[in-house]
Amino acid sequence: MKDTELFAAALALKSPWYIKKIDFRDTAQGEKELHIEVDHHKRVKFEYEGELCPVHDHQLRSWRHLRFFQHDCYLHARVPRVKTESGEVRLVAVPWAEPGSSFTLLFELDVLKLMDKGMSASAVGRHYSFDSRIASRIVGRHVSNALATQELRTVKDLSVDETSRKKGHNYLTILCDRQAKKVVGVSRGKDQKAVGQALIDMEARGADRATVRSVTLDMSRSYIAACESYLPQAEMVFDRFHLVKKLNEAIDTIRRAEQKQFKEALKHSRYLWLRNASKLSQKQQQRLDLLKEAFPNLGQAYRLKELFREVFDAAQFTKRLKPLNEWIKMAWDSGIKPIQEFVNMLHDHWYGIKTYFKRLANNAFAEGVNLKIQEIKRIARGYRNPHNFILMIYFKLGGLDLKIH
């Protein structure tokens, strides 16, 4: 097999395209580059928008291709411009690159694979000796194209959560399909309007908000108002982990009040009160037992916290609300003000708490997505442009068909 035939097979070239010439060239740095000249057979017509058109003239184009062994490789071709029946002159598309790109599809696919494996745009830039912004643009273009063609199936179960974009009050609102396990909507901000924008993002790809039957969320007033306004048919489900977080905050309030009077006794004890008993070492448990005896209010609050966890653990099997109602009465009768305030909060949000026992849904997937988004941000060392950040979220977590696996 001739060299030209071998490279044509490697590039998957089909008639009327063929390799005309292969050339090794010396660079100013003393290295060699591989240059491949591609041409087409004479007296052929090319298709443009379903019409076979004669060649009018040519435009010289070059594309960077994957390395062959250790050598950088470039493709060069005279790309035909054809004349349509209406008299317009148009540049035809080539099979090895997207219109307007200076890189072959195989090269861009390799960039996508490297970034999918965890490399930052800067690292990919160093790997290929080009500006990191080029890698970002390649990813952005492919993600935008994939989003434009992605058809979302019926979304029935959503989760809503926010994630920080950078230091300060800079947030994104993230919508996840809990069944399909992917991000379906992203918008800037964490208010009611942000949820509406994320829903529009979701519906632009074929989903219908009217089919959503449940939404898991924290007890953010903005998100609650958004669900009432934009998803009135869906049941709100308040995640148990946010409830536990609120109860832990109540316990920490009690601890801080006690520590003002007994600083030394309660020094370095914060995490003893907040951790689950099963995760404490024997030494930690012994100290906690002593502190519970010395500080009855804290001890009672801690026992209520552990019982609250047991109630929700049991709900996974029984779905019974009665144990929670009994816990609420017990917590109120404790007379401990921060615990009573927590009980009032449960009453105010009862509509979303009882649906937890009905559906046993939680925001665990959304919280996992949040961690992955923060990892995306960490790898890139932050994003100045929020649009690029959103595209990377879709790239990693949007379930897009990018043909990289």
Side-chain angles (χ1 to χ4, degrees):
M1 182 182 284
K2 296 180 180 179
D3 288 346
T4 54
E5 293 174 346
L6 181 65
F7 279 99
L11 291 168
L13 287 182
K14 294 180 181 179
S15 182
W17 298 101
Y18 69 96
I19 291 180
K20 183 178 181 180
K21 183 180 179 183
I22 301 171
D23 186 25
F24 268 111
R25 301 177 190 174
D26 292 321
T27 68
Q29 292 76 31
E31 298 175 352
K32 285 187 176 293
E33 291 177 344
L34 181 63
H35 291 260
I36 302 172
E37 186 177 334
V38 180
D39 206 347
H40 65 83
H41 298 298
K42 296 180 179 179
R43 292 180 292 278
V44 295
K45 292 184 177 182
F46 288 86
E47 183 177 337
Y48 182 81
E49 294 184 351
E51 176 187 344
L52 284 176
C53 306
V55 175
H56 176 71
D57 59 14
H58 295 84
Q59 187 178 97
L60 292 175
R61 291 289 313 279
S62 297
W63 301 265
R64 184 168 178 180
H65 187 52
L66 291 173
R67 287 174 177 147
F68 275 98
F69 298 99
Q70 74 271 29
H71 303 295
D72 287 343
C73 178
Y74 297 87
L75 266 61
H76 308 277
R78 298 183 311 132
V79 181
R81 294 203 310 160
V82 296
K83 196 167 189 177
T84 67
E85 287 186 0
S86 61
E88 295 177 309
V89 177
R90 293 286 183 264
L91 190 71
V92 302
V94 295
W96 57 83
E98 288 200 340
S101 176
S102 299
F103 303 92
T104 66
L105 283 167
L106 288 174
F107 183 94
E108 292 186 349
L109 184 62
D110 194 56
V111 169
L112 295 178
K113 285 181 177 178
L114 291 174
M115 293 193 69
D116 185 57
K117 290 177 180 177
M119 288 181 71
S120 66
S122 297
V124 173
R126 289 191 296 272
H127 177 75
Y128 275 120
S129 302
F130 60 38
D131 194 310
S132 63
R133 289 173 292 186
I134 294 174
S136 296
R137 284 198 291 269
I138 289 172
V139 171
R141 178 157 40 80
H142 281 270
V143 170
S144 296
N145 291 341
L147 284 171
T149 57
Q150 183 190 45
E151 291 187 14
L152 291 177
R153 295 180 180 180
T154 300
V155 178
K156 295 182 178 180
D157 300 300
L158 274 179
S159 66
V160 182
D161 201 10
E162 82 274 357
T163 190
S164 63
R165 181 167 65 85
K166 61 181 181 180
K167 290 181 179 179
H169 299 289
N170 291 278
Y171 293 93
L172 298 176
T173 289
I174 312 293
L175 299 186
C176 296
D177 182 336
R178 299 201 314 272
Q179 289 187 356
K181 305 293 185 187
K182 62 184 179 183
V183 172
V184 294
V186 186
S187 64
R188 296 169 68 176
K190 61 170 186 175
D191 55 7
Q192 182 176 343
K193 183 180 177 182
V195 176
Q197 288 297 323
L199 285 170
I200 292 171
D201 202 18
M202 179 185 82
E203 289 185 314
R205 285 168 286 137
D208 184 357
R209 71 182 70 182
T211 64
V212 177
R213 62 190 184 186
S214 74
V215 185
T216 57
L217 66 160
D218 60 24
M219 286 169 283
S220 158
R221 291 181 181 178
S222 297
Y223 286 168
I224 291 171
C227 289
E228 291 173 342
S229 177
Y230 304 128
L231 300 163
Q233 81 289 348
E235 290 185 313
M236 282 184 267
V237 184
F238 295 130
D239 183 61
R240 66 170 287 185
F241 298 104
H242 286 97
L243 297 175
V244 170
K245 180 183 177 183
K246 292 291 185 182
L247 181 54
N248 279 338
E249 289 173 1
I251 290 171
D252 203 41
T253 299
I254 302 166
R255 178 196 61 82
R256 289 199 306 270
E258 295 277 19
Q259 194 163 351
K260 286 180 180 179
Q261 291 182 284
F262 306 98
K263 188 173 182 180
E264 288 302 316
L266 289 167
K267 192 175 181 180
H268 304 308
S269 70
R270 180 171 185 262
Y271 291 103
L272 293 179
W273 303 106
L274 301 184
R275 284 179 183 153
N276 292 337
S278 60
K279 295 183 179 180
L280 295 177
S281 67
Q282 185 178 0
K283 184 178 179 180
Q284 288 172 329
Q285 187 63 61
Q286 288 173 349
R287 186 187 176 203
L288 182 62
D289 289 340
L290 290 172
L291 290 174
K292 285 191 293 186
E293 290 295 326
F295 300 94
N297 276 0
L298 259 175
Q300 189 174 3
Y302 182 83
R303 284 188 287 273
L304 285 168
K305 184 200 77 157
E306 289 296 296
L307 185 57
F308 188 78
R309 179 178 57 80
E310 291 173 10
V311 167
F312 275 84
D313 286 345
Q316 296 291 327
F317 306 100
T318 66
K319 294 188 177 183
R320 293 176 62 229
L321 264 172
K322 184 179 178 181
L324 181 58
N325 283 315
E326 292 172 347
W327 183 93
I328 287 173
K329 186 178 184 306
M330 189 186 311
W332 184 262
D333 289 345
S334 71
I336 304 171
K337 186 176 178 181
I339 297 296
Q340 289 180 327
E341 289 173 350
F342 175 75
V343 169
N344 286 333
M345 184 272 296
L346 293 181
H347 286 148
D348 291 341
H349 297 85
W350 188 249
Y351 57 93
I353 295 169
K354 68 179 182 181
T355 52
Y356 172 82
F357 285 79
K358 174 184 174 182
R359 295 186 174 274
L360 296 180
N362 59 56
N363 243 16
F365 177 72
E367 295 295 335
V369 164
N370 202 334
L371 291 175
K372 291 176 182 177
I373 289 173
Q374 293 307 308
E375 179 64 9
I376 292 170
K377 185 173 71 173
R378 185 196 66 78
I379 289 172
R381 296 184 181 179
Y383 284 86
R384 293 181 182 177
N385 188 332
H387 180 67
N388 290 341
F389 191 19
I390 290 171
L391 288 175
M392 278 303 298
I393 291 170
Y394 277 125
F395 174 65
K396 290 281 191 176
L397 304 166
L400 301 176
D401 182 13
L402 294 165
K403 297 178 176 61
I404 57 177
H405 299 294

